Amino acid sequence: MEQEWLTGGTAAVDGAVIEGLGDLLRAPGARVRAACEGPVVLAVVGDCPVTEEELRAALPAVRVGRWAELTRWPGSYWVVADNGRQRFVCGDLAGIRAVYYTQRGEGTAWASQSRLLDRPLVPDLPMLAARLTVGEHHWPHRTPYEQIRMVPGGFGLLLAPGARPQLVDVTGVDPVDELREGAARFGQALTDAVQHRVRATGGAVGADLSGGLDSSAAVVLAADGGTVHAVTYTDGYTSGEDMAFAARIAEHTGARHTVATGGDEQLPFGFPAGQPSEAEPVLEAAMYAMDAVYLHPVQGLPLHLTGHGGDIVLDASSSCWVRLLQDGHRREAHRQVAEFARLRNTAPGPYWKALKHAADLGRSGALERAAEVLERGPVMPQTAVAGWSWCRLGTGASWLTADGRHQVAALLRQAAHDQQQPEQADEFDQWAALRSVGASARGWAPYGHALGVRPVYPYLDNQVVRAAFAVPALARRGLVAYKPLLRAALPQLPDWLTSRRSKGSFTAQRIAGLARHRARLDELVHTSPLVAFGLIDPTAVGTVLAQAARGQSATAIADLHQLLVTCWWLTGQPTVLGAPC
């Protein structure tokens, strides 16, 4: 199955030229619609039902540089526009359709994949260490490679002869005051995102069906528009509740349902021989054996629907209460935090303290404070996570060497002065989370290609994201109801589904996988360039790995997961600088 790509035409690759954009190359299998009028050209590449008439109607916007208007069609796609003076290149808000760029002489080369930039791909080890230990969201414009930048989701790239490249904000969210006001718009956007794809295939489509709300809602919508073959993964660690909900949704919709059963060979972190690896490390790399088993029945179907990203658009984090504090609504914030803690039978004190601390510091202050902590000395692993933080120094930060701490601290200080990052907690958090799930979807592309599956992510379409983010994060959070936006937006969903309060996870499988593959994983860390270049202490990692493999350090699993896939990914890179001094 072909992967779509674009490049500014400077790379030595075989591709097809888009009419009117003679220096722009695209993959031969990429879907393109284009319109031109004299020097004004507009092309849409990817999964988009836009018509030629709609493209022609948008040419006046290209002529005068109203770039954000070119990103409001349904689907997931790149836009390339040229008015004879400037060229605008843009992917989607989530960053699945990425745009990478680098300086070359007096100009800027860009492409949808870093390998197409015709530049040596040298891993940026300090940046990788920073992303592993304090979070990737502080540097949305950085990539895993030196001298290669990325256009963050929510922005486009504006190029003009003799001028430096500019980032153009295209987020375009029109806020509403409450959930009810935005629910209908969101429901229509999500329904269109699923059903226009299903109807366009004219046949059966594949779909994930985990039993959770997000994938289940997508299957219900897809079944209303066509024929669905849903697949579910199970093993000895899978929640029985998840399986029960998956089976009930399949029966409710009449979808064909295949349940794939995995064994010890499918446990995470096996990294089987022949597993593909490409542009960047991705968490799903640890789950490849599992994916291969459960996706096999839907191999070769025109598309495969997923619920990936539903958590981000349908829900919100406790950053919404930090925003209340930032706006001066202390009493309401305290009331909601206390109610949240009461419903979950937890103490509100530590939670409230963390949220007040985040509001007092702000983004820039929090990053500066984290840098100071790293520079002072070793960080002790946190045993519990309470509240929301702009920059959490968790277990991963405790693995940094002295040199690693100083290099990460320097990067944090740079990020503290990034003027393009939101200073409102809820806005910062939702865009950071969106870009993270977009990177996950983007990074899974080579796996889908190898498995003969073409995934689509309706929850991450531009118009779906905009409709969700228009609803205040506080309203999407919900104290009693889980994902209240979904229930309000799609009232046709069965009540027994939208009333579900629990959520499955693969924590048990990850612990079992760490135990099964511990010796190999320990060696993977010890031989990693991150260790060879003195950024990560392998002994500190080994201690936590041993504890997690025994089920004694569940809070560290997310950090371990990210580190291990990064170490595995680095083993496949052709160049990782020279030998350390």
Side-chain angles (χ1 to χ4, degrees):
M1 190 171 293
E2 294 295 331
Q3 296 184 62
E4 295 175 330
W5 52 260
L6 291 171
T7 178
T10 57
V13 294
D14 294 325
V17 176
I18 296 178
E19 185 178 356
L21 297 166
D23 61 339
L24 177 69
L25 296 178
R26 62 174 173 88
R31 290 159 293 177
V32 180
R33 289 180 174 85
C36 61
E37 191 175 275
V40 181
V41 185
L42 172 59
V44 172
V45 182
D47 176 14
C48 180
V50 64
T51 65
E52 184 175 342
E53 291 75 19
E54 289 172 319
L55 284 180
R56 290 194 172 279
L59 290 176
V62 177
R63 187 172 289 109
V64 299
R66 297 197 306 269
W67 308 115
E69 294 181 22
L70 311 178
T71 68
R72 292 186 169 274
W73 294 296
S76 175
Y77 49 88
W78 290 280
V79 167
V80 184
D82 199 305
N83 59 17
R85 305 178 307 278
Q86 298 170 306
R87 173 164 294 182
F88 174 73
V89 185
C90 189
D92 62 323
L93 299 182
I96 301 174
R97 306 277 181 170
V99 177
Y100 301 90
Y101 64 103
T102 188
Q103 294 299 120
R104 180 172 296 131
E106 297 298 317
T108 301
W110 66 270
S112 59
Q113 296 181 22
S114 52
R115 67 177 179 83
L116 299 174
L117 289 173
D118 200 22
R119 176 184 285 278
L121 298 180
V122 180
D124 187 339
L125 295 178
M127 176 53 58
L128 284 169
R131 291 168 62 165
L132 287 170
T133 56
V134 297
E136 63 184 346
H137 43 277
H138 303 301
W139 304 274
H141 59 292
R142 298 288 291 268
T143 74
Y145 302 107
E146 294 181 354
Q147 299 183 39
I148 294 177
R149 294 293 181 263
M150 178 180 175
V151 179
F155 290 84
L157 184 67
L158 190 62
L159 304 171
R164 293 184 61 81
Q166 298 179 43
L167 293 180
V168 178
D169 188 335
V170 298
T171 50
V173 175
D174 300 320
V176 299
D177 292 331
E178 58 182 19
L179 183 144
R180 183 179 300 177
E181 186 180 351
R185 187 197 309 174
F186 174 81
Q188 190 61 57
L190 181 61
T191 301
D192 291 345
V194 172
Q195 294 185 353
H196 92 75
R197 291 175 165 106
V198 173
R199 290 179 177 130
T201 66
V205 302
D208 285 345
L209 182 55
S210 68
L213 267 64
D214 309 338
S215 64
S216 296
V219 168
V220 171
L221 293 175
D224 284 343
T227 304
V228 181
H229 184 174
V231 287
T232 302
Y233 178 84
T234 186
D235 58 21
Y237 305 92
T238 302
S239 158
E241 186 180 22
D242 283 345
M243 282 301 305
F245 270 93
R248 194 171 181 185
I249 281 292
E251 182 180 8
H252 174 78
T253 59
R256 179 183 176 188
H257 188 207
T258 300
V259 178
T261 303
D264 288 348
E265 295 76 17
Q266 280 71 48
L267 286 172
F269 306 111
F271 302 117
Q275 175 174 335
S277 175
E278 215 167 86
E280 51 197 291
V282 58
L283 291 176
E284 285 72 9
M287 311 291 196
Y288 182 70
M290 182 185 300
D291 290 344
V293 166
Y294 95 92
L295 291 173
H296 181 73
V298 290
Q299 184 178 20
L301 291 179
L303 60 85
H304 186 80
L305 289 164
T306 84
H308 191 74
D311 283 341
I312 307 307
V313 299
L314 294 172
D315 204 354
S317 74
S318 53
S319 62
C320 62
W321 296 320
V322 177
R323 175 64 182 272
L324 276 179
L325 287 167
Q326 288 180 308
D327 291 344
H329 304 300
R330 178 187 175 93
R331 180 175 296 179
E332 178 61 17
H334 187 272
R335 185 192 69 78
Q336 294 205 24
V337 169
E339 178 70 4
F340 177 81
R342 184 188 66 79
L343 289 170
R344 286 151 185 83
N345 198 28
T346 60
Y351 209 78
W352 175 245
K353 182 179 178 180
L355 299 182
K356 285 197 303 178
H357 188 64
D360 291 342
L361 284 176
R363 187 189 68 86
S364 300
L367 268 59
E368 291 281 2
R369 179 69 60 84
E372 292 172 7
V373 172
L374 288 173
E375 289 171 337
R376 281 202 301 267
V379 176
M380 297 303 294
Q382 292 184 356
T383 56
V385 177
W388 181 85
S389 173
W390 299 92
C391 181
R392 190 178 306 282
L393 298 181
T395 303
S398 72
W399 301 332
L400 290 167
T401 63
D403 185 43
R405 290 196 305 274
H406 285 287
Q407 294 208 46
V408 172
L411 288 167
L412 280 172
R413 293 189 190 281
Q414 292 176 15
H417 297 94
D418 184 351
Q419 300 299 313
Q420 291 179 320
Q421 289 271 56
E423 296 293 337
Q424 295 78 25
D426 54 347
E427 291 189 23
F428 170 84
D429 191 61
Q430 69 184 12
W431 285 102
L434 179 71
R435 291 166 183 153
S436 179
V437 297
S440 175
R442 181 175 71 244
W444 198 79
Y447 303 123
H449 179 68
L451 297 173
V453 170
R454 188 173 78 82
V456 294
Y457 307 94
Y459 287 99
L460 298 180
D461 279 6
N462 283 0
Q463 294 302 83
V464 176
V465 169
R466 286 189 175 110
F469 285 2
V471 176
L474 195 62
R476 283 182 280 128
R477 176 65 167 168
L479 285 176
V480 179
Y482 179 50
K483 297 184 177 177
L485 178 57
L486 187 65
R487 176 191 286 265
L490 298 175
Q492 72 270 31
L493 293 177
D495 182 70
W496 50 261
L497 173 64
T498 54
S499 297
R500 185 179 182 187
R501 299 289 179 265
S502 58
K503 178 178 174 57
S505 78
F506 286 102
T507 298
Q509 285 93 337
R510 290 193 290 180
I511 291 172
L514 291 174
R516 179 179 175 86
H517 302 294
R518 178 185 158 192
R520 181 187 173 198
L521 297 174
D522 196 54
E523 180 184 3
L524 195 63
V525 172
H526 275 78
T527 58
S528 168
L530 293 167
V531 170
F533 284 83
L535 298 171
I536 295 290
D537 176 4
T539 302
V541 176
T543 299
V544 176
L545 176 58
Q547 292 171 344
R550 294 193 297 267
Q552 297 174 337
S553 186
T555 58
I557 288 178
D559 288 352
L560 273 174
H561 192 155
Q562 185 69 67
L563 174 66
L564 294 171
V565 297
T566 300
C567 291
W568 173 80
W569 175 80
L570 282 168
T571 64
Q573 298 308 299
T575 174
V576 191
L577 306 177
C581 298

